[in-house]
Amino acid sequence: MKLKGAKIVTESLINEGVDTVFCYPGGSVLDIFDELYFVQDKIKQVVTCHEQGACHAADAYARISGKVGVVIATSGPGATNLVTGIANAYMDSVPLVAITGNVALSLLGRDSFQEVDIAGVTIPITKHNYIVKDINELGKIISDAFYIAKSGRPGPVLIDIPKNIQQAECEWEPIPVRQVTHRVPDFKKCQSAIDIINSSKKPLIYLGGGSISSEASKEVLEFAQKIDAPVACSMMGLGGFPASHPLYLGMIGMHGHANVAFTSQECDTLIAIGARFSDRVASDRVKFVKGKVVHIDIDNAEINKNVKTSAHIVGDIKTVLNTILPYINESKKPEWIERCQELKKTKVLKETTHSVSPREILRSISRQTPNDQIIATDVGQHQMWTAQTCSFEQPRTFVTSGGLGTMGFGMGAAIGAAIASKKRVVLVTGDGSFHMNFNEVVTAVVQKLPIAVFVFNNNTLGMVRQWQKLFYQRHFSNTTLNRPTNYEYLAKAFGADYLEINDNDEIDQKVKLAITCQKPVIVNCKIGIDDNVLPMIPSGKSAADIIMEMGD
Ligand SMILES: Cc1ncc(C[n+]2csc(CCOP(=O)(O)OP(=O)(O)O)c2C)c(N)n1
């Protein structure tokens, strides 16, 4: 059948199984929006306040649903407003298709109104990108974009569609959707990894987000139990292994649990699964681990990139584990487990809090919400407290900006997560991060999403202040906010509810009110300006330099 380019876009989206898009209109994308008008019953269309919010929402939608997230924006400023969101998805390996309109082909490269070479801009932050120059290629490009976004190591793909291509016509038939299949790794290539694992007396599993995108939680559990190995998750891996399991040690990395840092020094084999040895984990790449390293990852480029491995297997985590599990010897390691437990009991933090305790609020949220509660965060101290304190029992329950560390991610992400899950979402944010994207509270109100926004209001850019304390002689340059923002007026102005936590005694009751509220609610949590996130392994250092205590 003969269709307009814009119609090929909407038909292709439906063909790919897309049921939700996050979007913001504009002149160069109007033809696509005109077609979206006719498919409102098939594709839910969520207009945000800012394209960045739309991109973060599409990103979180993908993280929660396991599907490809879709965002649509206009040319020029609309497209550049997507850049942070695309980079965020790229760094955390999230499957995303970003569709941008552009000026007509004849106007490209002439500094036309709202013209930006968005394909050029996004080359380093996309898996692949396209400028559609021939209407006959549009359908195939969309099909390829979805496949590229979700296959191998997932990531974002951008399709820039000039206006005349949206308006041109050509023959179109639905292209059968290609399912992602995974090659079983050649057994010979697994042998040395299996041998090291089988001979290890003191293994430690370092579990990353790759295990979650591969849906490998069941296999990871079986593997860990079979070899009796304790498990530490990277921040992206949280939820990939149940936090209440006796083999679970905690989070690894700069602000990971102290016992994990010491365990990683004592283990004889570190088995990294779907993790990439980011500098926030292996800060001192040499001292990070003394034992052997076995690395299992879907991306060949990650092998030996940051840390030298003794053996590795490249492949999809679920497929690899299913392949090697029959050859892994079952064993018990009581002495090693006891040692790990001892470290878990002894290497604990002395908690000091100045007023309302952020950790107490998080414990209350964890206690009062179900195991499948989705918790999203922004970036800063509140993010690390959340990662350290909440017990994530299931995959796809923690939504956070890991690789890029994007302040302003939270509110858009909470919206995407709430729409994907059709459930209540808790957002933990800081006053700095919240000010970057609180416009999206009104999107949550319009969409009738029960999002409980806990603003950890310490009147400062807390994480930066902490670095200024530690490394810049307490020169609090531009981090004390002292903003007069009235959060109650702000909530009411957008049509949201408002609560306040001024005292530790009211935490449980206010958390309960927030997590039963039927609409978006802003909870102003008045925490102290000098609460620190500890432990901390300073940048470039190792477990030996861990900071367990610091003054204000
Ligand atoms: C877009 C962006 N700009 C700057 C930073 C650098 N940065 C990291 S944490 C942080 C402070 C965050 O403050 P807030 O959101 O109030 O959270 P808190 O640390 O106080 O919990 C800043 C400025 C960033 N991560 N992202």
Side-chain angles (χ1 to χ4, degrees), residues 204-212 216-217 220-221 224 229-245 247-261 263-264 270-278 280-282 288 344 383-384 386-398 400 537:
L204 170 64
I205 294 174
Y206 152 39
L207 192 67
S211 69
I212 295 176
S217 297
V220 169
L221 187 65
V231 178
C233 288
S234 70
M235 188 172 71
M236 293 302 295
L238 292 175
F241 194 83
S244 58
H245 194 284
L247 284 173
Y248 185 64
L249 294 186
M251 186 167 75
I252 195 165
M254 179 181 271
H255 290 295
H257 294 98
N259 61 302
V260 174
T263 310
S264 66
L270 185 83
I271 308 166
I273 303 180
R276 63 186 174 91
F277 296 94
S278 124
R280 293 287 128 144
V281 169
F288 170 58
K344 198 172 175 181
Q383 175 189 32
M384 294 303 142
T386 308
Q388 293 174 340
T389 313
C390 293
S391 49
F392 295 99
E393 296 292 327
Q394 295 180 17
R396 301 192 191 278
T397 52
F398 185 44
T400 198
I537 300 175

Side-chain angles (χ1 to χ4, degrees), residues 41 93 136 165 272 291 298 344 365 405 417 472 493 501 521 537:
D41 55 334
S93 308
N136 295 299
I165 300 287
I298 197 161
K344 198 172 175 181
I365 292 171
Y472 292 88
I501 300 181
V521 52
I537 300 175

Side-chain angles (χ1 to χ4, degrees), residues 379-382 405-407 430-433 436 458 460-464:
V379 171
Q381 291 179 309
H382 62 275
T406 314
M407 286 172 75
D431 46 332
S433 295
M436 285 206 178
N458 51 8
T460 182
L461 300 172
M463 186 57 103
V464 184

Side-chain angles (χ1 to χ4, degrees), residues 132-441:
V132 186
K133 294 195 168 158
D134 179 349
I135 177 71
N136 295 299
E137 289 176 359
L138 180 60
K140 172 85 167 56
I141 285 176
I142 297 173
S143 159
D144 288 350
F146 273 84
Y147 183 71
I148 292 170
K150 65 191 172 188
S151 61
R153 178 178 180 164
V157 179
L158 178 125
I159 314 173
D160 194 33
I161 313 178
K163 191 162 175 130
N164 64 309
I165 300 287
Q166 297 171 39
Q167 291 168 343
E169 286 191 349
C170 82
E171 282 297 322
W172 181 83
E173 291 301 330
I175 300 173
V177 176
R178 270 172 293 166
Q179 298 309 328
V180 175
T181 52
H182 297 291
R183 233 183 311 139
V184 175
D186 176 357
F187 186 76
K188 269 192 239 132
K189 292 196 175 146
C190 302
Q191 191 68 61
S192 60
I194 292 171
D195 289 346
I196 294 174
I197 293 167
N198 280 341
S199 60
S200 166
K201 305 258 180 300
K202 298 192 284 179
L204 170 64
I205 294 174
Y206 152 39
L207 192 67
S211 69
I212 295 176
S213 40
S214 156
E215 307 282 355
S217 297
K218 188 176 128 282
E219 286 77 8
V220 169
L221 187 65
E222 196 182 332
F223 176 69
Q225 287 175 337
K226 196 163 186 187
I227 62 170
D228 208 15
V231 178
C233 288
S234 70
M235 188 172 71
M236 293 302 295
L238 292 175
F241 194 83
S244 58
H245 194 284
L247 284 173
Y248 185 64
L249 294 186
M251 186 167 75
I252 195 165
M254 179 181 271
H255 290 295
H257 294 98
N259 61 302
V260 174
F262 291 99
T263 310
S264 66
Q265 294 291 293
E266 291 186 24
C267 71
D268 65 7
T269 311
L270 185 83
I271 308 166
I273 303 180
R276 63 186 174 91
F277 296 94
S278 124
D279 62 302
R280 293 287 128 144
V281 169
S283 205
D284 181 327
R285 289 187 248 156
V286 180
K287 290 195 194 143
F288 170 58
V289 60
K290 298 195 178 87
K292 292 182 174 162
V293 172
V294 174
H295 195 178
I296 305 174
D297 201 273
I298 197 161
D299 187 356
N300 193 32
E302 287 300 335
I303 308 293
N304 293 320
K305 185 173 97 179
N306 292 329
V307 165
K308 190 133 183 46
T309 61
S310 307
H312 62 263
I313 306 173
V314 175
D316 165 62
I317 305 302
K318 192 183 179 84
T319 316
V320 170
L321 289 181
N322 276 322
T323 307
I324 65 171
L325 264 166
Y327 306 94
I328 298 292
N329 297 339
E330 188 155 3
S331 67
K332 287 276 163 248
K333 303 175 174 75
E335 277 169 37
W336 173 231
I337 295 298
E338 201 176 307
R339 172 68 185 147
C340 294
Q341 288 306 329
E342 186 187 314
L343 287 170
K344 198 172 175 181
K345 268 188 229 123
T346 52
K347 300 291 178 189
V348 284
L349 215 57
K350 244 194 356 222
E351 268 185 45
T352 47
T353 298
H354 296 82
S355 55
V356 174
S357 161
R359 290 178 195 276
E360 223 18 86
I361 296 173
L362 291 160
R363 279 193 280 265
S364 180
I365 292 171
S366 234
R367 239 186 351 256
Q368 297 197 59
T369 53
N371 277 351
D372 64 354
Q373 177 64 51
I374 296 166
I375 300 182
T377 74
D378 258 300
V379 171
Q381 291 179 309
H382 62 275
Q383 175 189 32
M384 294 303 142
W385 285 319
T386 308
Q388 293 174 340
T389 313
C390 293
S391 49
F392 295 99
E393 296 292 327
Q394 295 180 17
R396 301 192 191 278
T397 52
F398 185 44
V399 182
T400 198
S401 169
L404 196 65
T406 314
M407 286 172 75
F409 173 71
M411 199 57 224
I415 288 168
I419 289 175
S421 66
K422 300 190 172 59
K423 286 191 202 147
R424 174 184 315 280
V425 167
V426 166
L427 168 65
V428 183
T429 181
D431 46 332
S433 295
F434 189 51
H435 273 81
M436 285 206 178
N437 70 344
F438 61 54
N439 51 356
E440 302 300 352
V441 169

